[in-house]
Amino acid sequence: MVNRQDPLRIDVPFMRRRVKQTPASSTAAVADTGQSQRVQTVTGHQQPQGLHLRAPSSSASPHALQPATVPSRSAPVSGLSLARNSPASSASSPSPELDAVHQGAKVEKNQAALLFPAPKIRDTYELNLNEQVLRLTALESAVGTLVVSGSTAVAWESVRHVVGAADVLGNTAGTPIMTAGNRALVGYEKQTALIPLRHIRELRRAIFINRGNSPMGVQIFNGASVAIPPPANGVQFVLLAHRIANLLELRAEPVPIAWTDQQIWQEFDFTMTHQAPVSNYRR
Amino acid sequence: MASLISGANAALTVENPGLDHVVVGMNWESIPSNGPRAEFVPFAVMCGADGRAVSNDHLVFFNQLLSSDAALAFVGDEDQEQIDVELSRVPTEISKIVFFVYVDPEVRGKGTFASVRNSHIRVSTATRKELVRFDLPAGKQESVTAMIFGELYRHRTDWKFRALGQGYTTGLTGVAKDYGISL
């Protein structure tokens, strides 16, 4: 399906639309032929052959190209929607920044709408094989600190794909990420792993590994908490904190107890990144 | 441009006929620090006639950029925080929109407004023409962890802005309790 209503698609980040410039003279020349005259009455310009993603001309007849019902900006979205909701919104927006906010928020809302239902943190006491996942609200995902006790190692990945790791003994690997508050985006404070949620939008995901005999515990600002059982019966649970749109999802992922941290990184596709040395040569 | 004092109000739509879109900007300067420092989070909440948040979908902050009715949008970065309000989109059930800033309750040191200087809130048109401004008075804020900067509120069919500058020592929790935000 091609959405011919909207000039710009931002909801498909891996696609880029290339607009072919049509010389004005060619349009005028085509308009002289009888065949294209019929087309022009509908679109105002020549229709190119095959698939095209060009925005409709401003001179186009609005009724000819409008669907029967145009979704309003605030209309509820059900199911998968790849279309911008309101072509008119960009025209009425006072600034490109605001328009970008509206579009970005709609993309986030669509992403959140596609998520399957998951318990909230107050709905469950423990994440285990039977109840593997919970999801925080937008507010819970953003206020205070996510405190993880009982973990022995952590690895993180930022939205810029900067990857690093640390353990409770102070060993580090990869690249640390500092926030504007001069705190690590993910790291240890004594025996406790912390994520300052003020900067949650910089985080893509983090995993917490537990080599001890005690369960891991997760606590958030409002005091709600959940436990992850310790290794047992050849299985250890890795806690995966994964941000989807503006929601933080917590998962207990079972892995073999014999796996090393490096094997767990590999399983979760964490490849440590390293800061490139900076040279002043030719600057 | 009008400068307000605490408790004063300004009739926005009466004095600016046709005004249907305003930008509310909240700014502050905090004393720089090389170590961990307090982080301030601007927030807006849409309240019903009872003065409490209609729902958690009626909040706007850095992790919820748009209210459910798309009337409020958060636009900001580390240096400038502003919230766009399309007055014509605000549902009639909303009687006021409260703007506040809280200190993020980080477990490694929450911080207070003691490190804040020159904070203000201002209301501008969509074209960034400043309509009203409220410079929060400097004072002892060593124990203040949240501050109500001001509010937009309905007065009959019009919109007004009231300067507040009301500090909380209980942070976001205190504000949430007063305004019915579900934490």
Side-chain angles (χ1 to χ4, degrees):
Chain A
M1 184 182 74
V2 177
N3 175 18
R4 296 177 190 275
Q5 290 299 305
D6 303 314
L8 179 62
R9 297 274 302 274
I10 66 163
D11 51 352
V12 190
F14 53 85
M15 291 178 68
R16 291 289 183 273
R17 176 174 56 85
R18 181 178 297 168
V19 179
K20 183 178 178 181
Q21 298 295 327
T22 305
S25 57
S26 66
T27 303
V30 169
D32 291 335
T33 67
Q35 175 65 25
S36 60
Q37 185 64 44
R38 184 184 61 81
V39 174
Q40 191 181 21
T41 58
V42 176
T43 65
H45 63 269
Q46 183 187 13
Q47 288 285 341
Q49 295 293 321
L51 175 70
H52 79 107
L53 295 174
R54 190 156 85 174
S57 165
S58 59
S59 61
S61 165
H63 301 295
L65 291 176
Q66 291 289 335
T69 57
V70 178
S72 71
R73 191 177 187 177
S74 58
V77 177
S78 59
L80 179 65
S81 170
L82 295 177
R84 291 173 67 200
N85 286 351
S86 171
S89 65
S90 59
S92 62
S93 293
S95 69
E97 294 91 348
L98 183 58
D99 198 40
V101 167
H102 278 275
Q103 297 306 329
K106 283 189 183 107
V107 170
E108 272 195 356
K109 194 172 268 188
N110 278 349
Q111 287 176 340
L114 293 173
L115 294 173
F116 58 85
K120 296 176 181 174
I121 192 167
R122 291 193 187 279
D123 296 338
T124 184
Y125 296 105
E126 185 181 82
L127 294 178
N128 48 40
L129 286 175
N130 296 325
E131 207 159 21
Q132 251 187 292
V133 62
L134 66 83
R135 198 172 296 129
L136 304 180
T137 66
L139 203 53
E140 289 171 339
S141 303
V143 176
T145 313
L146 186 85
V147 179
V148 181
S149 58
S151 75
T152 54
V154 60
W156 58 81
E157 181 180 7
S158 76
V159 289
R160 295 177 180 271
H161 303 290
V162 175
V163 180
D167 71 14
V168 72
L169 300 175
N171 301 307
T172 59
T175 311
I177 303 168
M178 295 304 290
T179 65
N182 292 331
R183 297 180 182 93
L185 182 61
V186 183
Y188 276 96
E189 180 80 10
K190 297 179 181 172
Q191 303 293 309
T192 306
L194 304 173
I195 299 178
L197 296 177
R198 171 66 180 91
H199 302 282
I200 188 61
R201 296 180 82 88
E202 295 175 40
L203 179 73
R204 183 163 177 252
R205 58 188 181 135
I207 55 171
F208 300 85
I209 301 167
N210 179 13
R211 302 286 182 193
N213 297 320
S214 304
M216 276 193 286
V218 181
Q219 189 170 36
I220 58 172
F221 159 72
N222 59 16
S225 62
V226 67
I228 296 94
N233 302 324
V235 172
Q236 60 176 320
F237 282 101
V238 171
L239 171 67
L240 170 65
H242 185 197
R243 186 176 64 82
I244 305 167
N246 59 347
L247 307 175
L248 193 61
E249 193 171 275
L250 303 180
R251 281 178 170 272
E253 297 283 358
V255 298
I257 198 167
W259 279 10
T260 64
D261 286 3
Q262 286 75 17
Q263 285 175 299
I264 295 174
W265 295 349
Q266 184 179 357
E267 176 70 11
F268 286 87
D269 201 17
F270 280 83
T271 303
M272 296 296 133
T273 57
H274 299 279
Q275 289 175 326
V278 178
S279 169
N280 288 326
Y281 181 61
R282 288 188 178 176
R283 283 193 177 182
Chain B
M1 183 191 78
S3 186
L4 303 179
I5 59 170
S6 293
N9 65 58
L12 296 178
T13 52
V14 169
E15 294 176 9
N16 302 276
L19 183 71
D20 69 343
H21 189 142
V22 295
V23 179
V24 179
M26 288 179 276
N27 288 76
W28 56 86
E29 294 173 12
S30 62
I31 299 170
S33 166
N34 290 328
R37 58 186 176 88
E39 299 198 71
F40 301 92
V41 182
F43 210 101
V45 53
M46 303 169 88
C47 300
D50 59 355
R52 298 173 69 79
V54 175
S55 79
N56 271 23
D57 291 333
H58 290 77
L59 314 175
V60 167
F61 65 112
F62 75 90
N63 200 38
Q64 187 161 289
L65 303 178
L66 206 58
S67 62
S68 57
D69 43 48
L72 255 63
F74 180 88
V75 185
D77 53 35
E78 297 294 337
D79 301 320
Q80 186 178 7
E81 312 281 6
Q82 61 188 37
I83 293 168
D84 284 73
V85 185
E86 292 191 51
L87 299 173
S88 55
R89 280 184 179 272
V90 177
T92 53
E93 72 200 77
I94 304 299
S95 61
K96 67 177 178 181
I97 305 167
V98 180
F99 300 89
F100 66 94
V101 174
Y102 69 84
V103 183
D104 186 57
E106 232 283 337
V107 295
R108 286 166 285 190
K110 299 177 176 66
T112 67
F113 272 77
S115 61
V116 170
R117 303 282 183 274
N118 303 325
S119 53
H120 71 261
I121 182 171
R122 61 180 186 170
V123 182
S124 309
T125 65
T127 55
R128 305 300 189 263
K129 179 192 170 193
E130 191 169 298
L131 299 173
V132 294
R133 178 187 176 103
F134 169 48
D135 291 294
L136 276 77
K140 290 194 174 184
Q141 298 177 333
E142 281 78 9
S143 58
V144 173
T145 49
M147 178 77 74
I148 310 288
F149 276 44
E151 63 184 17
L152 287 170
Y153 65 99
R154 287 187 196 273
H155 180 70
R156 299 192 182 94
T157 58
D158 295 309
W159 282 96
K160 288 186 170 187
F161 175 78
R162 179 181 290 123
L164 289 172
Q166 177 188 350
Y168 279 71
T169 59
T170 46
L172 177 62
T173 305
V175 178
K177 186 179 177 186
D178 282 1
Y179 288 97
I181 301 167
S182 176
L183 288 179

